[in-house]
Amino acid sequence: MKIGNLIVKDGALLAPLAGVSNRPFRVLAVKAGASMTYTEMVSSEGIIRDQERTKEMMVFKNDEQPLGIQLFGSNPQTMEKAAAITVKEFNPDVIDINFGCPVKKVVNKNGGSAVLKDLQLTEDIIKGTVQGAGETPVTIKIRTGWDDANPVFEKVGEIAQRAGAKAVALHARSRAKGFSGNADWTAIKKLKEAVDIPVIGNGDIKTALDVKKMIEETNCDGVMIGRAAMGNPFIFNQINHYLATGELLQRPTISEKIGMARIHAQLMKEQFGEERGAVMMRRFLGWYVKGFRGASELRPILFQVSTIEEIDRVFEDYLNGKYDFSQVQPPDDTNGGLNPLRTQ
Ligand SMILES: Cc1cc2nc3c(=O)[nH]c(=O)nc-3n(C[C@H](O)[C@H](O)[C@H](O)COP(=O)(O)O)c2cc1C
């Protein structure tokens, strides 16, 4: 797939994920084979006001690239200025505009998916951002519309193309749907038919098989993965392997998952410091142990860690059988039957 002059290799893109797609997770995703990553959404207002917390979220290195910095905002002039600052100070491969966020804090300021209610504003925001970004390609990420009664994705795709956007990612649900029901992949197919710029399909991909299915059903140019990658960077490797060979890789073992979680925790420490890193790591730990025997007993223990050493110790104890989860049935939908004490 080509986004402007940027070549993005086959495979899957890591979705922008607030509170999740920070540098440590992006590094792991790229190592595992993600073909592109995005920052968490950052506020255009925060950028032009030079807010430290906002700018902190925009820092990246080349081991996370190609990378898009995702901006949100509802004022075209602010978006233009923010895009120009983003290019000057950070120089990402892509600037992405968030037109999909359903969160009240963003929508109440007319940002995120609220913009989809006003197509003139949508166009002005894209034009402003393209203007500010100069040579850097601008992409957009949308939902199907504000609600199911008013799907606007095809119109927005056409507007984006006309306004100079170089790709459009579609989370195939309306804002009103939140994360409920199933993503409607037929919308991705319709968008692909409506525009010439690349279409990136998004919503409910859980496995490598789903990637192939989405590409076949929609003819999309790229796929983007959010929730299925959380605590599971392995998915990118699984996808690449499957697309290249048609064979499905074995699911990662318990010890491989723990190994990945430990590396992740170490990166969090390097990025955010010991205590903040450990606290921020807690939610990831909850995802990493999904499917472990005794996961629901293990989680409260992991959710209390405040150092990286503690994380290591809890996992050591778990692998050494210190916790007695013998009465607990393994869940049968994920790693059912896998022995948590198995080392490889
Ligand atoms: C925790 C979380 C944070 C998210 N943050 C963002 C964000 O910052 N920007 C954005 O465009 N979408 C965000 N999304 C939406 C995802 O990028 C993606 O569109 C959505 O999760 C559907 O894809 P999936 O089914 O693969 O998870 C977020 C989703 C989740 C679960």
Side-chain angles (χ1 to χ4, degrees):
M1 169 172 64
K2 262 186 107 183
I3 300 180
N5 288 326
L6 175 74
I7 295 170
V8 179
K9 62 183 168 59
D10 287 347
L13 292 71
L14 172 67
L17 296 164
V20 177
S21 68
N22 46 30
R23 171 164 163 76
F25 189 49
R26 296 192 301 258
V27 169
L28 289 182
V30 167
K31 273 215 171 74
S35 55
M36 179 163 173
T37 64
Y38 292 82
T39 62
E40 308 170 61
M41 59 177 168
V42 291
S43 155
S44 52
E45 298 280 349
I47 294 171
I48 66 164
R49 289 202 206 110
D50 204 24
Q51 281 173 357
E52 201 179 315
R53 272 288 158 104
T54 304
K55 294 273 179 84
E56 187 189 68
M57 291 198 282
M58 302 167 77
V59 177
F60 65 90
K61 296 189 184 148
N62 61 8
D63 52 359
E64 305 158 55
Q65 285 181 277
L67 172 136
I69 292 185
Q70 190 189 57
L71 310 185
F72 73 91
S74 56
N75 182 314
Q77 286 80 36
T78 306
M79 288 293 277
E80 179 177 343
K81 280 187 211 149
I85 295 169
T86 300
V87 170
K88 186 157 172 263
E89 294 186 16
F90 301 96
N91 195 23
D93 299 290
V94 162
I95 291 183
D96 186 58
I97 309 174
N98 180 325
F99 286 140
C101 183
V103 174
K104 278 211 180 90
K105 200 173 84 178
V106 172
V107 165
N108 287 349
K109 290 188 196 152
N110 286 327
S113 56
V115 182
L116 298 176
K117 286 193 286 190
D118 181 343
L119 297 189
Q120 185 57 53
L121 180 61
T122 307
E123 179 162 359
D124 293 344
I125 289 175
I126 300 170
K127 280 186 176 156
T129 310
V130 167
Q131 179 74 23
E135 297 294 302
T136 303
V138 170
T139 59
I140 66 167
K141 180 164 177 285
I142 60 175
R143 284 184 175 241
T144 53
W146 177 253
D147 52 32
D148 287 328
N150 299 290
V152 292
F153 57 94
E154 287 155 298
K155 255 190 230 149
V156 173
E158 286 161 15
I159 288 171
Q161 177 166 294
R162 209 169 53 229
K166 299 295 186 226
V168 48
L170 174 62
H171 175 191
R173 281 187 176 86
S174 65
R175 188 278 328 176
K177 275 263 161 61
F179 284 91
S180 65
N182 295 326
D184 173 14
W185 290 1
T186 62
I188 299 169
K189 182 172 195 276
K190 287 184 195 153
L191 177 61
K192 176 66 191 158
E193 283 160 8
V195 297
D196 297 322
I197 53 176
V199 169
I200 300 164
N202 171 240
D204 294 355
I205 290 177
K206 295 187 190 75
T207 64
L209 290 169
D210 290 340
V211 170
K212 186 140 188 276
K213 190 161 175 265
M214 183 187 273
I215 294 170
E216 281 172 2
E217 284 182 11
T218 71
N219 198 26
C220 62
D221 302 277
V223 298
M224 179 184 272
I225 300 196
R227 289 165 296 169
M230 300 191 322
N232 183 29
F234 304 97
I235 194 168
F236 295 104
N237 183 33
Q238 290 166 341
I239 290 166
N240 290 344
H241 187 82
Y242 180 63
L243 292 181
T245 66
E247 286 166 15
L248 288 170
L249 284 174
Q250 293 272 357
R251 281 176 297 183
T253 62
I254 297 284
S255 70
E256 282 167 338
K257 288 186 183 182
I258 288 179
M260 183 70 88
R262 280 175 156 172
I263 295 170
H264 195 158
Q266 201 54 45
L267 293 174
M268 292 291 268
K269 176 180 166 177
E270 284 164 26
Q271 185 72 19
F272 301 108
E274 177 86 44
E275 206 178 314
R276 188 171 163 217
V279 171
M280 287 171 76
M281 188 64 202
R282 289 176 184 168
R283 62 196 311 213
F284 288 95
L285 295 171
W287 295 322
Y288 275 111
V289 302
K290 188 173 167 217
F292 284 24
R293 184 190 288 268
S296 38
E297 286 75 13
L298 186 58
R299 273 194 195 106
I301 302 170
L302 288 167
F303 286 168
Q304 285 176 34
V305 295
S306 45
T307 64
I308 304 305
E309 240 174 65
E310 261 181 81
I311 295 173
D312 284 341
R313 198 173 335 115
V314 174
F315 280 137
E316 283 287 327
D317 289 347
Y318 181 76
L319 288 171
N320 291 329
K322 185 184 159 200
Y323 304 113
D324 181 11
F325 298 138
S326 52
Q327 304 306 312
V328 177
Q329 290 298 315
D332 51 21
D333 59 335
T334 47
N335 282 26
L338 267 189
N339 180 350
L341 303 181
R342 182 176 144 185
T343 50
Q344 263 312 313

